[in-house]
Amino acid sequence: MNPEATSLNGGSLINPIERPGVTQELSENVILTTVDDLYNWARLSSLWPLLFGTACCFIEFAALIGSRFDFDRFGLVPRSAPRQADLLITAGTITMKMAPALVRLYEQMPEPKYVIAMGACTITGGMFSVDSPTAVRGVDKLIPVDIYLPGCPPRPEAIIDAIIKLRKKISNESIQERGQLLQTHRYYSTTHNMQPYKIIHDGTYLQSDSRNAPPRELAEALGLEVPAVLEAQKENVDRG
């Protein structure tokens, strides 16, 4: 402050050079934000994953729940009901027999919902993609996937990194643009061409005489009576 200017104005300044008190009070009590930011912050801070696992990847996911990694600090609360969860981590191999149950669980989850494909078996079929006729070659053929987490199996630290990436994706979403950003590339595996066949093992073979009786060679060596079924087999077998 200039003392000469103070004396000219009668000892006080018309516009004193100081921080306005009103602005200081507002900055301490008012937070300015948008509806999108507030809505996204609430969602990314309270992701509730579904307790779902089909193979060895779920062991790593279960370790993440423990006290060593403590994923509760991210606001993740594991839920056992799909209607109370908004995050599905497909931890493990998905087979064609399990595919309808997986799709049913996903459809029961409320919107908005997210999916993390965990492990090589979930993403591409993994080690089963060549020889297994029942493994689904990619869970994105059944449900839309937001984050792909490779590994066999991924470490709990990798799951935390995937959750952080998912939180960043949620923070950039907009309520008005949500309908335009929905994934529409979901498709289902083609129907197999297998034909039903008559039942071969019906359980009655366990009570057959040839199964309950000892082998013919052992019965002859012990001096036991050889059943008639084994005697008939003796006549038909050619030892060469």
Side-chain angles (χ1 to χ4, degrees):
M1 298 175 63
N2 190 353
E4 297 181 357
T6 303
S7 60
L8 293 176
N9 294 326
S12 62
L13 292 177
I14 299 175
N15 296 319
I17 305 176
E18 61 180 4
R19 187 174 182 179
V22 177
T23 306
Q24 182 178 0
E25 294 177 0
L26 288 176
S27 63
E28 294 177 356
N29 297 280
V30 177
I31 299 177
L32 300 178
T33 183
T34 61
V35 177
D36 284 339
D37 292 339
L38 181 61
Y39 180 68
N40 293 336
W41 171 80
R43 288 192 297 118
L44 65 88
S45 301
S46 61
L47 287 172
W48 289 5
L50 180 65
L51 281 175
F52 174 81
T54 56
C56 45
C57 280
F58 184 74
I59 303 300
E60 302 296 327
F61 177 66
L64 184 66
I65 306 177
S67 59
R68 179 177 181 180
F69 299 98
D70 188 24
F71 80 155
D72 289 346
R73 54 198 165 122
F74 294 98
L76 277 74
V77 180
R79 307 300 299 178
S80 300
R83 293 176 178 85
Q84 300 174 357
D86 54 5
L87 173 60
L88 177 60
I89 301 178
T90 56
T93 311
I94 302 299
T95 60
M96 293 183 181
K97 185 176 182 180
M98 190 64 193
L102 174 66
V103 175
R104 187 181 302 112
L105 290 174
Y106 178 80
E107 296 294 343
Q108 290 177 351
M109 293 171 58
E111 292 284 353
K113 49 192 173 184
Y114 305 93
V115 177
I116 296 179
M118 176 183 175
C121 295
T122 304
I123 298 175
T124 61
M127 66 183 76
F128 307 103
S129 60
V130 177
D131 299 328
S132 176
T134 60
V136 178
R137 272 69 167 176
V139 75
D140 51 0
K141 297 181 179 180
L142 304 172
I143 57 178
V145 177
D146 298 282
I147 301 294
Y148 292 91
L149 176 58
C152 186
R155 289 279 301 161
E157 295 89 347
I159 307 176
I160 293 177
D161 181 69
I163 292 174
I164 292 175
K165 288 182 171 60
L166 179 61
R167 286 161 58 98
K168 291 180 180 179
K169 179 179 181 179
I170 296 175
S171 63
N172 294 327
E173 292 181 354
S174 176
I175 298 177
Q176 298 178 352
E177 299 177 356
R178 184 190 302 170
Q180 302 176 3
L181 298 177
L182 291 178
Q183 297 182 354
T184 58
H185 65 278
R186 186 179 68 181
Y187 59 95
Y188 295 89
S189 301
T190 58
T191 306
H192 63 79
N193 296 322
M194 300 180 182
Q195 301 296 330
Y197 194 72
K198 62 180 181 179
I199 299 177
I200 300 177
H201 301 295
D202 53 359
T204 57
Y205 72 97
L206 296 175
Q207 288 78 29
S208 61
D209 297 335
S210 60
R211 182 176 179 85
N212 295 327
R216 180 178 54 80
E217 293 81 359
L218 181 59
E220 293 177 350
L222 297 177
L224 301 176
E225 181 181 358
V226 180
V229 178
L230 298 181
E231 288 290 348
Q233 292 180 358
K234 180 179 179 181
E235 299 175 357
N236 296 330
V237 173
D238 185 9
R239 300 292 182 177

